[in-house]
Amino acid sequence: MRKLVLTAAASALALGIAAPALAQDGPPEDSAFTGPRIEALVGYDKVNAGSDVGSSDGVAYGGAIGYDVQFGRAIVGIEGEITGSTTDTRTSNLLVAGDRFRIDAGRDLYAGGRVGIAISPLALGYVKAGYTNARFSARYQNGNTTIEDSENLDGYRLGAGLEYKVGPTTYIKGEYRYSHYGDLAGYDIDADRHQLLAGVGVRF
């Protein structure tokens, strides 16, 4: 009996020593979302180019980099992004009967920040805001007359998302973003952009 008690005590002591060592193998909860990150993005892209022009949708794709700092459950970060899009918007009879007008969405640059709350050691909910610069190409045709132009438009972006850790350094995310842009080729396209993107990333 005494031997059994001593064996049990020795086992408990060994587990007590090993547990903190095992816990140190992973990051502490208050640093789970800290550090630089890189991610790939793809998803749904819709551009509403004003009531006179109409809207169209397509696929947005690209990548982003960022850096986050965690304070307890709060996370503050900065990020930059570049994406492309297959979205184009077409309409006819815009100014006169029989004319045609088309807007193609090109590359989109974004820089901004985000703040969030760690819902759990694995999940992060966040909101974001920042500056976006998108390239749009316009093509207007009326009979034998064709006018083409391409401009980079300044705008702002607001968004919200959820990030979830699937490994020690990897994560997946889902995000909704709204962006707004102004004039293109002297025409106020009053463009509103809605995107729903998924991403996979690595934190270093």
Side-chain angles (χ1 to χ4, degrees):
M1 177 63 72
R2 181 179 179 185
K3 183 178 181 180
L4 182 60
V5 171
L6 290 175
T7 302
S11 299
L13 180 61
L15 288 173
I17 294 173
L22 291 173
Q24 293 174 4
D25 291 341
E29 291 185 7
D30 63 354
S31 65
F33 301 100
T34 291
R37 56 185 167 86
I38 184 171
E39 58 193 41
L41 301 164
V42 65
Y44 175 74
D45 182 32
K46 181 175 183 178
V47 176
N48 297 317
S51 59
D52 293 335
V53 181
S55 64
S56 185
D57 52 14
V59 176
Y61 52 89
I65 58 174
Y67 190 92
D68 299 308
V69 179
Q70 186 168 349
F71 305 94
R73 293 180 57 200
I75 292 90
V76 178
I78 57 174
E79 56 188 0
E81 178 186 302
I82 180 169
T83 57
S85 177
T86 65
T87 302
D88 63 66
T89 302
R90 309 182 189 198
T91 190
S92 59
N93 305 318
L94 179 64
L95 300 178
V96 297
D99 68 358
R100 290 178 291 176
F101 185 61
R102 171 175 173 172
I103 298 175
D104 291 311
R107 67 104 182 98
D108 189 2
L109 303 176
Y110 169 79
R114 70 175 188 169
V115 294
I117 293 293
I119 303 170
S120 75
L122 300 178
L124 164 66
Y126 62 89
V127 294
K128 62 188 293 179
Y131 163 79
T132 174
N133 179 278
R135 179 172 297 162
F136 288 91
S137 299
R139 179 185 177 93
Y140 177 79
Q141 292 179 292
N142 181 18
N144 295 325
T145 302
T146 299
I147 301 174
E148 295 182 291
D149 197 7
S150 179
E151 291 190 20
N152 299 330
L153 304 185
D154 297 322
Y156 64 86
R157 176 177 297 168
L158 305 173
L162 180 66
E163 180 180 311
Y164 189 84
K165 294 185 65 174
V166 294
T169 59
T170 58
Y171 63 88
I172 56 176
K173 65 184 289 186
E175 182 176 290
Y176 165 77
R177 307 105 67 87
Y178 166 80
S179 303
H180 180 79
Y181 308 94
D183 292 347
L184 172 60
Y187 181 82
D188 185 8
I189 64 173
D190 190 28
D192 295 317
R193 192 171 205 166
H194 302 270
Q195 296 175 313
L196 188 60
L197 270 63
V200 58
V202 177
R203 193 178 298 276
F204 301 96

